[in-house]
Amino acid sequence: MFKSLHMKLMLIMLLLITSLMAVVGAFLTTNVSSFYIDSFREQMNDMFGSDVEADGVALAKNASFMSDLLSAAEVADGANQMQDILDANAGKLGIDYRTRNYYILDGSSGAVLVKSDEIDTTLAATPNLLSALNGKVGDKSDLTADYMDVAIPLSGGENGYIIYILDSRATVSSLNSQLFTIIMQALVIGLLISVLFSYLLSKTLVGPIEKVTEGAERLAGGDFGNKLPVESPDEIGILTGTFNHMADVLQDSLNAVENERNKLDTLFLHMTDGVVAFDHDGTLIHCNPAATQLLQRSIPKETVFDELFGSVYPLAQILTLQRPNYADAEMMVSDKTLELYFAPFSDKASGGVLVVLHDETEHHRSEERRKEFVANVSHELRTPLTNVRSYAETLRDSGGDIPQATADSFLDIIITETDRMTHIVQDLLTLSRLDAGNTEMNFSRFDFGASISSVVRANALEAKRRSHELKLEPAQSLPLIFGDRQRLEQVMMNILGNAIKYTPDGGHILVTAGTAGEHVWMEVSDDGIGIPEKDRDHIFERFYRVDKARSRESGGTGLGLSIAKEIVERHHGTIRLARHDGPGTTVRLTLPIRLEDLQA
Ligand code: ADP
């Protein structure tokens, strides 16, 4: 109920006014009472002189009054005479015959002889009266009593007299009750005014605070557009200004955070590595498209860490890592090898784990290819070396017992095997230079048709020796092309040489050529042994041979087509097996006419 500032202010005001009035009331009533008592005592002191003393100093202010009284007391009708004196001085004594009266009592019995009021009062035996009965002036005042009195013993007559002045304090009581009424009225008016004031005050104070609160709520809702008006230069105005400034700073910070997030989002969206983030409970926070692709599965929001990587690395162990440490592991997804990096992204309990997925498949494959290549090279070189060694040993160990013709044939084999090794080494050198990209190419514009004719002519003898029918059917006109003539002729030689090699004697080999758009092409078809379906994709690989024995027999290294492919690719061309109906093979070479344009 008293939670709102309105109510609190009002309550404070009410309490303030009430307590103020209570203090004023108490102060006033106390002061009125003591003033009344003081003035009574003063009057008595003035009249009764040194017999009534306030502080022990003897005073005789009204000596004639006292001496009159004393002389009246001496005569026979003393009491009545004294009454006359008292009546004559009633004004000075404050005797009003209602609230303050005088009594003349018998000095020893205390019986009332004369009195000023008409009422039949019985006097109470007050301490002052008792003191007078004992012959002493009774002038002690008692603040707690509801009366004031003074009792003066006088000698005279038979027993002496006591003049007793008694004030019922009714005047001060009625004054106090009037004061009380006034204070209560003032209190009611004060309360009404305080309610009004507290309302106005709270309006002035709370209004702007409520506006700032509304602004804060709008801010919390993401609305930074509306600035709060600064209506006054006071503390509330400063608060509003500070609040506006805070909103600006907050907006700037949020914009900066938003920018950063957008940058990260874009990065995550387009990076080729997969990124998956989990909180410390293992619940998915973020996952980029590359991760979905690499893991080859959909990753819905409810996916947890254990479902994806639990078998690879335990989450709890990653969370214990101190940044920037990370853990890595390998994971196979169908035929892909993924390298996984696990890192905690915050040391705090609210942190989590970031998993980066990198596709290592290609790296693995090329590593395997490299190993395979090294194994192939060793194997290819070992076979001729073994042959050379065994024939050379035989010759050495024979001690000249071998017939000359046999020895010569052994030496021929040694020379052939050495040539083969030289071939292999040369081919490997060519390939490694092409791989390294430091093969010097002598580019020039040359006649594509003339090159084909020259290659066909160079192979005519070998074709004839194998009883092949070698035909060249070039298009009417072939353009000049740009390239390394020598190397491209080496490619053509390889294709045509293979056709001659892998076609049984008496076969038919057809060389055709033409242009297609921006390209020239050459096809070599034979009706030879052909290439089985399963091997078609592989014959451009290094050391790949369909029939190893046959290839080796014909002096092949298994590197010719792979070198050809490298050279053609350096010319932005293609070399591939074309569709071939019937037995045999067709190899098609395509080259751009204006290579210089492509290189530019
Ligand atoms: P090689 O030195 O063994 O001829 P290549 O790289 O030139 O090596 O050829 C690779 C393999 O492709 C050959 O070993 C052969 O098995 C096959 N090949 C190439 N051309 C033909 C063709 N015209 N007919 C049948 N097989 C072929």
mmCIF file of all heavy atoms in Angstrom, residues 427 494-495 498-503 526 528-531 539-541 544-547 551-552 554-562 577 584-587, ligand 1:
data_model
loop_
_atom_site.group_PDB
_atom_site.id
_atom_site.type_symbol
_atom_site.label_atom_id
_atom_site.label_comp_id
_atom_site.label_asym_id
_atom_site.label_seq_id
_atom_site.Cartn_x
_atom_site.Cartn_y
_atom_site.Cartn_z
ATOM 1 N N ASP A 427 60.681 -39.277 -67.828
ATOM 2 C CA ASP A 427 59.241 -38.973 -67.677
ATOM 3 C C ASP A 427 58.945 -38.396 -66.286
ATOM 4 O O ASP A 427 58.172 -37.446 -66.144
ATOM 5 C CB ASP A 427 58.411 -40.240 -67.894
ATOM 6 C CG ASP A 427 58.258 -40.549 -69.383
ATOM 7 O OD1 ASP A 427 58.728 -39.718 -70.194
ATOM 8 O OD2 ASP A 427 57.675 -41.593 -69.714
ATOM 9 N N ASN A 494 52.175 -39.359 -78.320
ATOM 10 C CA ASN A 494 51.813 -40.329 -77.291
ATOM 11 C C ASN A 494 50.473 -40.988 -77.627
ATOM 12 O O ASN A 494 50.333 -42.208 -77.540
ATOM 13 C CB ASN A 494 51.750 -39.618 -75.937
ATOM 14 C CG ASN A 494 51.522 -40.591 -74.802
ATOM 15 O OD1 ASN A 494 50.393 -40.870 -74.458
ATOM 16 N ND2 ASN A 494 52.599 -41.143 -74.264
ATOM 17 N N ILE A 495 49.509 -40.149 -78.064
ATOM 18 C CA ILE A 495 48.178 -40.701 -78.353
ATOM 19 C C ILE A 495 48.271 -41.666 -79.545
ATOM 20 O O ILE A 495 47.772 -42.795 -79.505
ATOM 21 C CB ILE A 495 47.182 -39.552 -78.674
ATOM 22 C CG1 ILE A 495 47.076 -38.576 -77.488
ATOM 23 C CG2 ILE A 495 45.815 -40.120 -79.024
ATOM 24 C CD1 ILE A 495 46.272 -37.315 -77.797
ATOM 25 N N ASN A 498 50.245 -44.821 -78.730
ATOM 26 C CA ASN A 498 49.430 -45.779 -77.972
ATOM 27 C C ASN A 498 48.500 -46.544 -78.900
ATOM 28 O O ASN A 498 48.324 -47.759 -78.759
ATOM 29 C CB ASN A 498 48.592 -45.049 -76.918
ATOM 30 C CG ASN A 498 49.406 -44.739 -75.671
ATOM 31 O OD1 ASN A 498 50.518 -45.239 -75.513
ATOM 32 N ND2 ASN A 498 48.857 -43.900 -74.802
ATOM 33 N N ALA A 499 47.884 -45.815 -79.868
ATOM 34 C CA ALA A 499 46.956 -46.454 -80.800
ATOM 35 C C ALA A 499 47.695 -47.548 -81.581
ATOM 36 O O ALA A 499 47.167 -48.648 -81.761
ATOM 37 C CB ALA A 499 46.365 -45.404 -81.744
ATOM 38 N N ILE A 500 48.933 -47.234 -81.980
ATOM 39 C CA ILE A 500 49.714 -48.224 -82.737
ATOM 40 C C ILE A 500 50.085 -49.397 -81.825
ATOM 41 O O ILE A 500 49.951 -50.565 -82.178
ATOM 42 C CB ILE A 500 50.971 -47.554 -83.350
ATOM 43 C CG1 ILE A 500 50.532 -46.535 -84.413
ATOM 44 C CG2 ILE A 500 51.917 -48.579 -83.949
ATOM 45 C CD1 ILE A 500 51.636 -45.610 -84.899
ATOM 46 N N LYS A 501 50.525 -49.030 -80.590
ATOM 47 C CA LYS A 501 50.968 -50.063 -79.633
ATOM 48 C C LYS A 501 49.857 -51.022 -79.246
ATOM 49 O O LYS A 501 50.054 -52.217 -79.154
ATOM 50 C CB LYS A 501 51.469 -49.368 -78.347
ATOM 51 C CG LYS A 501 52.958 -49.116 -78.340
ATOM 52 C CD LYS A 501 53.473 -48.827 -76.932
ATOM 53 C CE LYS A 501 52.887 -47.559 -76.340
ATOM 54 N NZ LYS A 501 53.510 -47.171 -75.070
ATOM 55 N N TYR A 502 48.682 -50.427 -78.908
ATOM 56 C CA TYR A 502 47.616 -51.251 -78.324
ATOM 57 C C TYR A 502 46.605 -51.742 -79.358
ATOM 58 O O TYR A 502 45.470 -52.035 -79.037
ATOM 59 C CB TYR A 502 46.926 -50.494 -77.187
ATOM 60 C CG TYR A 502 47.920 -50.157 -76.070
ATOM 61 C CD1 TYR A 502 48.341 -48.868 -75.842
ATOM 62 C CD2 TYR A 502 48.473 -51.192 -75.302
ATOM 63 C CE1 TYR A 502 49.279 -48.570 -74.878
ATOM 64 C CE2 TYR A 502 49.412 -50.903 -74.338
ATOM 65 C CZ TYR A 502 49.813 -49.598 -74.125
ATOM 66 O OH TYR A 502 50.762 -49.340 -73.173
ATOM 67 N N THR A 503 47.056 -51.782 -80.650
ATOM 68 C CA THR A 503 46.216 -52.368 -81.694
ATOM 69 C C THR A 503 47.000 -53.534 -82.307
ATOM 70 O O THR A 503 48.161 -53.352 -82.688
ATOM 71 C CB THR A 503 45.902 -51.317 -82.783
ATOM 72 O OG1 THR A 503 45.290 -50.202 -82.153
ATOM 73 C CG2 THR A 503 44.986 -51.871 -83.864
ATOM 74 N N ASP A 526 41.264 -46.186 -82.993
ATOM 75 C CA ASP A 526 41.866 -47.445 -83.482
ATOM 76 C C ASP A 526 40.868 -48.560 -83.267
ATOM 77 O O ASP A 526 39.864 -48.368 -82.579
ATOM 78 C CB ASP A 526 43.192 -47.705 -82.738
ATOM 79 C CG ASP A 526 43.003 -47.884 -81.248
ATOM 80 O OD1 ASP A 526 42.278 -48.813 -80.850
ATOM 81 O OD2 ASP A 526 43.542 -47.050 -80.444
ATOM 82 N N GLY A 528 41.810 -51.421 -81.898
ATOM 83 C CA GLY A 528 42.690 -52.300 -81.134
ATOM 84 C C GLY A 528 42.008 -52.957 -79.939
ATOM 85 O O GLY A 528 40.790 -53.162 -79.920
ATOM 86 N N ILE A 529 42.811 -53.170 -78.884
ATOM 87 C CA ILE A 529 42.302 -53.957 -77.747
ATOM 88 C C ILE A 529 41.281 -53.190 -76.895
ATOM 89 O O ILE A 529 40.544 -53.770 -76.105
ATOM 90 C CB ILE A 529 43.458 -54.444 -76.844
ATOM 91 C CG1 ILE A 529 44.273 -53.240 -76.343
ATOM 92 C CG2 ILE A 529 44.360 -55.422 -77.581
ATOM 93 C CD1 ILE A 529 45.245 -53.593 -75.239
ATOM 94 N N GLY A 530 41.265 -51.885 -77.078
ATOM 95 C CA GLY A 530 40.287 -51.064 -76.333
ATOM 96 C C GLY A 530 40.625 -50.971 -74.851
ATOM 97 O O GLY A 530 41.589 -51.567 -74.379
ATOM 98 N N ILE A 531 39.851 -50.193 -74.146
ATOM 99 C CA ILE A 531 40.084 -50.009 -72.705
ATOM 100 C C ILE A 531 38.818 -50.419 -71.959
ATOM 101 O O ILE A 531 37.742 -49.881 -72.215
ATOM 102 C CB ILE A 531 40.431 -48.543 -72.385
ATOM 103 C CG1 ILE A 531 41.737 -48.157 -73.121
ATOM 104 C CG2 ILE A 531 40.584 -48.312 -70.886
ATOM 105 C CD1 ILE A 531 42.049 -46.705 -73.125
ATOM 106 N N ILE A 539 43.034 -44.109 -66.770
ATOM 107 C CA ILE A 539 44.236 -44.215 -67.618
ATOM 108 C C ILE A 539 45.082 -42.950 -67.673
ATOM 109 O O ILE A 539 46.211 -42.997 -68.108
ATOM 110 C CB ILE A 539 43.900 -44.686 -69.064
ATOM 111 C CG1 ILE A 539 42.993 -43.664 -69.736
ATOM 112 C CG2 ILE A 539 43.326 -46.085 -69.105
ATOM 113 C CD1 ILE A 539 43.080 -43.791 -71.237
ATOM 114 N N PHE A 540 44.530 -41.837 -67.175
ATOM 115 C CA PHE A 540 45.352 -40.608 -67.140
ATOM 116 C C PHE A 540 46.104 -40.470 -65.816
ATOM 117 O O PHE A 540 46.789 -39.496 -65.579
ATOM 118 C CB PHE A 540 44.475 -39.363 -67.383
ATOM 119 C CG PHE A 540 43.910 -39.329 -68.779
ATOM 120 C CD1 PHE A 540 42.625 -39.762 -69.045
ATOM 121 C CD2 PHE A 540 44.702 -38.898 -69.847
ATOM 122 C CE1 PHE A 540 42.122 -39.760 -70.337
ATOM 123 C CE2 PHE A 540 44.195 -38.893 -71.143
ATOM 124 C CZ PHE A 540 42.905 -39.322 -71.393
ATOM 125 N N GLU A 541 45.930 -41.490 -64.947
ATOM 126 C CA GLU A 541 46.657 -41.443 -63.670
ATOM 127 C C GLU A 541 48.081 -41.945 -63.867
ATOM 128 O O GLU A 541 48.345 -42.754 -64.770
ATOM 129 C CB GLU A 541 45.950 -42.332 -62.633
ATOM 130 C CG GLU A 541 44.652 -41.741 -62.151
ATOM 131 C CD GLU A 541 43.856 -42.729 -61.297
ATOM 132 O OE1 GLU A 541 44.417 -43.772 -60.894
ATOM 133 O OE2 GLU A 541 42.665 -42.453 -61.065
ATOM 134 N N TYR A 544 49.350 -45.767 -64.326
ATOM 135 C CA TYR A 544 48.192 -46.656 -64.511
ATOM 136 C C TYR A 544 48.285 -47.303 -65.879
ATOM 137 O O TYR A 544 48.350 -46.630 -66.906
ATOM 138 C CB TYR A 544 46.870 -45.871 -64.381
ATOM 139 C CG TYR A 544 45.688 -46.812 -64.196
ATOM 140 C CD1 TYR A 544 45.313 -47.240 -62.934
ATOM 141 C CD2 TYR A 544 45.008 -47.315 -65.312
ATOM 142 C CE1 TYR A 544 44.277 -48.129 -62.768
ATOM 143 C CE2 TYR A 544 43.961 -48.217 -65.155
ATOM 144 C CZ TYR A 544 43.608 -48.613 -63.878
ATOM 145 O OH TYR A 544 42.577 -49.505 -63.722
ATOM 146 N N ARG A 545 48.252 -48.618 -65.848
ATOM 147 C CA ARG A 545 48.268 -49.355 -67.104
ATOM 148 C C ARG A 545 47.248 -50.457 -67.030
ATOM 149 O O ARG A 545 47.122 -51.122 -66.006
ATOM 150 C CB ARG A 545 49.667 -49.935 -67.363
ATOM 151 C CG ARG A 545 50.617 -48.841 -67.812
ATOM 152 C CD ARG A 545 52.031 -49.281 -67.822
ATOM 153 N NE ARG A 545 52.480 -49.630 -66.477
ATOM 154 C CZ ARG A 545 53.724 -49.907 -66.201
ATOM 155 N NH1 ARG A 545 54.643 -49.898 -67.128
ATOM 156 N NH2 ARG A 545 54.071 -50.211 -64.984
ATOM 157 N N VAL A 546 46.520 -50.642 -68.137
ATOM 158 C CA VAL A 546 45.477 -51.676 -68.121
ATOM 159 C C VAL A 546 46.145 -53.041 -68.039
ATOM 160 O O VAL A 546 45.804 -53.867 -67.207
ATOM 161 C CB VAL A 546 44.582 -51.566 -69.376
ATOM 162 C CG1 VAL A 546 43.541 -52.685 -69.404
ATOM 163 C CG2 VAL A 546 43.922 -50.191 -69.433
ATOM 164 N N ASP A 547 47.096 -53.224 -68.877
ATOM 165 C CA ASP A 547 47.806 -54.511 -68.896
ATOM 166 C C ASP A 547 49.283 -54.200 -68.709
ATOM 167 O O ASP A 547 49.982 -53.814 -69.642
ATOM 168 C CB ASP A 547 47.533 -55.209 -70.250
ATOM 169 C CG ASP A 547 48.190 -56.568 -70.326
ATOM 170 O OD1 ASP A 547 49.088 -56.842 -69.498
ATOM 171 O OD2 ASP A 547 47.804 -57.347 -71.211
ATOM 172 N N SER A 551 52.146 -53.412 -71.618
ATOM 173 C CA SER A 551 52.684 -52.053 -71.681
ATOM 174 C C SER A 551 54.201 -52.081 -71.592
ATOM 175 O O SER A 551 54.898 -51.444 -72.355
ATOM 176 C CB SER A 551 52.087 -51.216 -70.561
ATOM 177 O OG SER A 551 52.861 -50.084 -70.340
ATOM 178 N N ARG A 552 54.680 -52.858 -70.609
ATOM 179 C CA ARG A 552 56.122 -52.894 -70.397
ATOM 180 C C ARG A 552 56.830 -53.481 -71.621
ATOM 181 O O ARG A 552 57.857 -52.997 -72.056
ATOM 182 C CB ARG A 552 56.425 -53.727 -69.146
ATOM 183 C CG ARG A 552 57.850 -53.512 -68.670
ATOM 184 C CD ARG A 552 58.111 -54.137 -67.340
ATOM 185 N NE ARG A 552 57.355 -53.526 -66.267
ATOM 186 C CZ ARG A 552 56.580 -54.201 -65.442
ATOM 187 N NH1 ARG A 552 56.434 -55.491 -65.576
ATOM 188 N NH2 ARG A 552 55.926 -53.582 -64.482
ATOM 189 N N SER A 554 55.939 -53.278 -74.593
ATOM 190 C CA SER A 554 56.020 -52.304 -75.681
ATOM 191 C C SER A 554 56.760 -51.034 -75.260
ATOM 192 O O SER A 554 56.670 -50.011 -75.911
ATOM 193 C CB SER A 554 54.616 -51.967 -76.178
ATOM 194 O OG SER A 554 53.817 -51.580 -75.074
ATOM 195 N N GLY A 555 57.457 -51.149 -74.163
ATOM 196 C CA GLY A 555 58.315 -50.027 -73.733
ATOM 197 C C GLY A 555 57.570 -48.902 -73.032
ATOM 198 O O GLY A 555 58.123 -47.816 -72.834
ATOM 199 N N GLY A 556 56.331 -49.160 -72.635
ATOM 200 C CA GLY A 556 55.542 -48.091 -71.970
ATOM 201 C C GLY A 556 55.949 -47.927 -70.510
ATOM 202 O O GLY A 556 56.397 -48.866 -69.864
ATOM 203 N N THR A 557 55.782 -46.708 -69.992
ATOM 204 C CA THR A 557 56.101 -46.458 -68.578
ATOM 205 C C THR A 557 54.830 -46.236 -67.756
ATOM 206 O O THR A 557 54.868 -46.178 -66.525
ATOM 207 C CB THR A 557 56.962 -45.187 -68.442
ATOM 208 O OG1 THR A 557 56.228 -44.091 -68.989
ATOM 209 C CG2 THR A 557 58.285 -45.329 -69.151
ATOM 210 N N GLY A 558 53.712 -46.044 -68.444
ATOM 211 C CA GLY A 558 52.470 -45.733 -67.717
ATOM 212 C C GLY A 558 52.404 -44.271 -67.316
ATOM 213 O O GLY A 558 51.525 -43.848 -66.557
ATOM 214 N N LEU A 559 53.347 -43.496 -67.830
ATOM 215 C CA LEU A 559 53.370 -42.067 -67.463
ATOM 216 C C LEU A 559 52.993 -41.173 -68.642
ATOM 217 O O LEU A 559 52.715 -39.990 -68.476
ATOM 218 C CB LEU A 559 54.760 -41.671 -66.968
ATOM 219 C CG LEU A 559 55.197 -42.285 -65.637
ATOM 220 C CD1 LEU A 559 56.674 -41.983 -65.372
ATOM 221 C CD2 LEU A 559 54.358 -41.746 -64.491
ATOM 222 N N GLY A 560 52.986 -41.770 -69.863
ATOM 223 C CA GLY A 560 52.766 -40.972 -71.079
ATOM 224 C C GLY A 560 51.502 -40.136 -71.027
ATOM 225 O O GLY A 560 51.541 -38.915 -71.238
ATOM 226 N N LEU A 561 50.348 -40.768 -70.732
ATOM 227 C CA LEU A 561 49.077 -40.026 -70.751
ATOM 228 C C LEU A 561 48.981 -38.995 -69.611
ATOM 229 O O LEU A 561 48.359 -37.956 -69.780
ATOM 230 C CB LEU A 561 47.884 -40.993 -70.705
ATOM 231 C CG LEU A 561 47.569 -41.700 -72.033
ATOM 232 C CD1 LEU A 561 46.386 -42.643 -71.882
ATOM 233 C CD2 LEU A 561 47.285 -40.704 -73.158
ATOM 234 N N SER A 562 49.618 -39.340 -68.479
ATOM 235 C CA SER A 562 49.543 -38.341 -67.388
ATOM 236 C C SER A 562 50.380 -37.115 -67.725
ATOM 237 O O SER A 562 49.996 -35.979 -67.412
ATOM 238 C CB SER A 562 49.934 -38.929 -66.039
ATOM 239 O OG SER A 562 51.033 -39.756 -66.143
ATOM 240 N N LEU A 577 38.917 -39.779 -73.185
ATOM 241 C CA LEU A 577 38.474 -40.865 -74.057
ATOM 242 C C LEU A 577 37.126 -40.471 -74.637
ATOM 243 O O LEU A 577 36.244 -40.041 -73.900
ATOM 244 C CB LEU A 577 38.317 -42.160 -73.258
ATOM 245 C CG LEU A 577 39.624 -42.791 -72.739
ATOM 246 C CD1 LEU A 577 39.309 -44.046 -71.933
ATOM 247 C CD2 LEU A 577 40.553 -43.143 -73.901
ATOM 248 N N GLY A 584 38.125 -51.181 -79.917
ATOM 249 C CA GLY A 584 39.129 -50.134 -80.068
ATOM 250 C C GLY A 584 38.889 -48.943 -79.171
ATOM 251 O O GLY A 584 38.065 -48.983 -78.252
ATOM 252 N N THR A 585 39.649 -47.915 -79.430
ATOM 253 C CA THR A 585 39.644 -46.739 -78.546
ATOM 254 C C THR A 585 39.661 -45.463 -79.384
ATOM 255 O O THR A 585 40.225 -45.454 -80.486
ATOM 256 C CB THR A 585 40.923 -46.760 -77.682
ATOM 257 O OG1 THR A 585 41.038 -48.046 -77.075
ATOM 258 C CG2 THR A 585 40.904 -45.697 -76.604
ATOM 259 N N THR A 586 39.023 -44.411 -78.854
ATOM 260 C CA THR A 586 39.165 -43.092 -79.482
ATOM 261 C C THR A 586 39.612 -42.114 -78.403
ATOM 262 O O THR A 586 38.970 -42.003 -77.350
ATOM 263 C CB THR A 586 37.823 -42.607 -80.070
ATOM 264 O OG1 THR A 586 37.415 -43.557 -81.056
ATOM 265 C CG2 THR A 586 37.966 -41.229 -80.716
ATOM 266 N N VAL A 587 40.718 -41.461 -78.646
ATOM 267 C CA VAL A 587 41.195 -40.443 -77.711
ATOM 268 C C VAL A 587 41.008 -39.085 -78.381
ATOM 269 O O VAL A 587 41.357 -38.909 -79.546
ATOM 270 C CB VAL A 587 42.672 -40.674 -77.338
ATOM 271 C CG1 VAL A 587 43.153 -39.600 -76.371
ATOM 272 C CG2 VAL A 587 42.851 -42.049 -76.727
HETATM 273 P P1 ADP B 1 52.055 -46.495 -71.443
HETATM 274 O O1 ADP B 1 53.400 -45.979 -71.398
HETATM 275 O O2 ADP B 1 51.822 -47.724 -70.647
HETATM 276 O O3 ADP B 1 51.467 -46.545 -72.785
HETATM 277 P P2 ADP B 1 50.183 -44.392 -71.135
HETATM 278 O O4 ADP B 1 50.050 -43.432 -70.028
HETATM 279 O O5 ADP B 1 50.504 -43.801 -72.437
HETATM 280 O O6 ADP B 1 51.236 -45.434 -70.657
HETATM 281 O O7 ADP B 1 48.871 -45.186 -71.219
HETATM 282 C C1 ADP B 1 48.279 -45.675 -70.051
HETATM 283 C C2 ADP B 1 47.539 -46.967 -70.311
HETATM 284 O O8 ADP B 1 46.355 -46.716 -71.072
HETATM 285 C C3 ADP B 1 48.286 -47.911 -71.127
HETATM 286 O O9 ADP B 1 49.140 -48.721 -70.355
HETATM 287 C C4 ADP B 1 47.200 -48.727 -71.766
HETATM 288 O O10 ADP B 1 46.853 -49.796 -70.959
HETATM 289 C C5 ADP B 1 46.068 -47.783 -71.902
HETATM 290 N N1 ADP B 1 45.926 -47.268 -73.333
HETATM 291 C C6 ADP B 1 46.332 -46.040 -73.756
HETATM 292 N N2 ADP B 1 45.995 -45.877 -75.056
HETATM 293 C C7 ADP B 1 45.329 -47.003 -75.446
HETATM 294 C C8 ADP B 1 44.737 -47.416 -76.641
HETATM 295 N N3 ADP B 1 44.769 -46.688 -77.736
HETATM 296 N N4 ADP B 1 44.167 -48.667 -76.667
HETATM 297 C C9 ADP B 1 44.156 -49.445 -75.547
HETATM 298 N N5 ADP B 1 44.708 -49.090 -74.370
HETATM 299 C C10 ADP B 1 45.295 -47.874 -74.321
#
